[in-house]
Amino acid sequence: MNVIGIETSCDETSVAVISNGKLVSNLISSQDFHVDYGGVVPELSSRAHLQILMPLLKKALKDSGIELKKIDLITATAGPGLIGALLVGLTFAKGLAYSLKKTFIPVNHIEGHIFSGFLMEEKPEFPYLCLVVSGGHTLLLIVKSDVEIIKLGTTVDDAAGEAFDKVSKLLGLGYPGGPQIQKVSNNQNSDFVEFPIAHCKNEYDFSFSGLKTSVIRFIQKEYGSSDKIPKDHIPLIAASFQKAVVNALTKNVEKALHNFNVNSISLVGGVAANKLLRNELEKLSIRYNKKIVIPSLEFCGDNAAMIAYRGMKLYEYAQNTKENLFYFSNHNAYPDLTGNTFIRDYH
Ligand code: KG4
Ligand code: ZN
């Protein structure tokens, strides 16, 4: 079976091809021009997706040596994401499926991330504890099977990546914040400031807005304003902040490892690229004797390989159960902007 995946939820345009279960192409085009604006400009993002999507699809097919008529299934991110950006990929994918008379499956972006560990050689084993950390989401989940995902906790305010982006801006380090903060924090004293970790009502929830406020307060108290921070203090504040975020995330992971029986751990999403976070979770996995799967960088940030994989799994599930839920056999039906989702609350 040949599957096309399309991802356009934010500032990455990506097209992937999976052939007989093997990823044969995963092209990612990042919209670097948003850097000039200090964040993603939705309208510019949609327009860039529109321009790059067709050439990217052609290249992905050429690279994988698969003709368009040999494609059996088309999948695309349906949401969550920027509405204009999503619509470009979705309408493109639906139009393609309609013209080829093939099945189209809308995929939930977060579910794409949740199962991205399966793109690796070493795969997670069900049930696994999954920490999803991206620019828009922070979730702690127990993934029992392809269609059973239990949500233990989420952020009550900012997402982890969002916190990195906001604090980076505050420190004058630019966008996207995660990689910048990681870079300047390297080998710096992370005990320079002790930023607090929030405690939430639900013990598995996260909160990062208070942490961001603490950084603002610290800067105001010590220097008056952010443009007066001495150059050599910026890496120290960044490192202290990074440590606080990583501690807040690992604390809840450890609690869950203590209270739930899982076979493995998986760390996914854009923030999973963070070296300190990867190292700390690896240490936890050793301490708790669990297998850990952290996707390679190509599969941490937004990519279409994870969308194609998830779409393929949904297709198989629908075939086996004869559920017609996932088929847009009625091409006039418009998918909602979340895609199919199997995430359920624990409480
Ligand atoms: O999953 P993703 O590519 O897009 C969303 O679905 O949001 O995640 C993007 C987020 C951004 O907030 C970015 O700052 C963060 O991932 N990020 C990092 C690192 N690389 C990217 N955060 C911390 N450390 C990194 N090395
Ligand atoms: Zn994402």
Side-chain angles (χ1 to χ4, degrees):
M1 184 164 92
N2 296 322
V3 186
I4 288 180
I6 292 175
E7 157 65 38
T8 64
S9 67
C10 192
D11 56 346
E12 260 91 29
T13 319
S14 182
V15 179
V17 181
I18 291 180
S19 180
N20 297 325
K22 192 170 171 284
L23 180 68
V24 287
S25 179
N26 182 36
L27 300 178
I28 304 168
S29 166
S30 294
Q31 304 173 356
D32 298 334
F33 56 80
H34 295 293
V35 170
D36 298 342
Y37 303 91
V40 178
V41 183
E43 177 67 13
L44 296 182
S45 164
S46 313
R47 285 167 189 263
H49 286 310
L50 203 55
Q51 280 186 323
I52 199 86
L53 197 46
M54 184 59 109
L56 216 55
L57 172 70
K58 284 185 176 164
K59 184 161 178 0
L61 290 170
K62 195 167 166 230
D63 290 357
S64 48
I66 295 169
E67 289 175 80
L68 197 51
K69 61 175 188 248
K70 295 273 163 60
I71 295 294
D72 306 291
L73 171 67
I74 294 158
T75 69
T77 301
L82 302 171
I83 184 149
L86 287 168
L87 284 174
V88 174
L90 256 182
T91 35
F92 183 89
K94 277 202 75 186
L96 197 61
Y98 184 67
S99 65
L100 296 172
K101 299 198 168 37
K102 299 291 173 182
T103 305
F104 166 68
I105 292 187
V107 172
N108 176 280
H109 180 81
I110 304 165
E111 290 198 5
H113 280 300
I114 292 170
F115 294 94
S116 58
F118 287 91
L119 295 164
M120 303 297 290
E121 197 79 29
E122 271 295 324
K123 301 181 191 327
E125 281 165 34
F126 295 121
Y128 65 92
L129 187 66
C130 186
L131 178 66
V132 186
V133 272
S134 73
H137 301 272
T138 307
L139 291 162
L140 188 59
L141 310 156
I142 292 184
V143 188
K144 290 185 163 179
S145 71
D146 279 324
V147 290
E148 290 168 285
I149 308 165
I150 314 292
K151 180 164 80 183
L152 297 180
T154 184
T155 179
V156 296
D157 39 57
D158 292 351
E162 193 180 354
F164 270 101
D165 295 336
K166 286 178 176 170
V167 169
S168 174
K169 209 170 184 176
L170 210 68
L171 297 176
L173 295 171
Y175 179 88
Q180 305 288 346
I181 292 205
Q182 172 172 304
K183 199 166 116 201
V184 301
S185 301
N186 197 23
N187 291 325
Q188 299 291 329
N189 174 17
S190 57
D191 296 325
F192 182 66
V193 199
E194 201 177 313
F195 290 121
I197 292 178
H199 291 274
C200 301
K201 214 161 92 194
N202 166 13
E203 60 176 334
Y204 299 111
D205 275 348
F206 306 91
S207 164
F208 295 106
S209 141
L211 175 57
K212 179 194 63 196
T213 311
S214 313
V215 177
I216 297 174
R217 289 234 178 88
F218 174 80
I219 294 170
Q220 280 169 347
K221 189 165 150 267
E222 295 295 318
Y223 317 106
S225 61
S226 48
D227 53 339
K228 298 208 179 71
I229 308 173
K231 277 238 157 359
D232 56 335
H233 281 198
I234 289 176
L236 302 172
I237 302 170
S240 305
F241 162 78
Q242 179 178 246
K243 188 176 89 175
V245 176
V246 170
N247 281 349
L249 293 168
T250 42
K251 180 174 70 79
N252 287 12
V253 171
E254 177 153 23
K255 236 183 284 169
L257 282 174
H258 199 78
N259 294 334
F260 296 92
N261 202 5
V262 291
N263 282 327
S264 40
I265 307 169
S266 193
L267 168 66
V268 301
V271 184
N274 188 272
K275 277 200 197 112
L276 182 64
L277 181 58
R278 294 169 89 96
N279 288 344
E280 290 304 313
L281 284 196
E282 264 156 21
K283 280 189 215 159
L284 262 189
S285 75
I286 293 167
R287 209 174 319 136
Y288 282 80
N289 198 20
K290 305 286 176 199
K291 176 182 188 176
I292 185 160
V293 178
I294 308 176
S296 55
L297 295 187
E298 177 190 5
F299 306 128
C300 281
D302 292 342
N303 67 88
M306 67 182 192
I307 302 304
Y309 177 82
R310 182 62 184 152
M312 183 181 78
K313 283 287 155 185
L314 290 176
Y315 181 78
E316 287 171 7
Y317 174 74
Q319 296 278 67
N320 293 336
T321 58
K322 301 277 176 259
E323 279 191 53
N324 204 24
L325 257 83
F326 316 110
Y327 295 84
F328 277 87
S329 42
N330 172 7
H331 285 279
N332 292 321
Y334 211 82
D336 62 12
L337 291 168
T338 52
N340 299 293
T341 179
F342 289 86
I343 304 175
R344 302 284 173 260
D345 283 337
Y346 174 61
H347 293 288

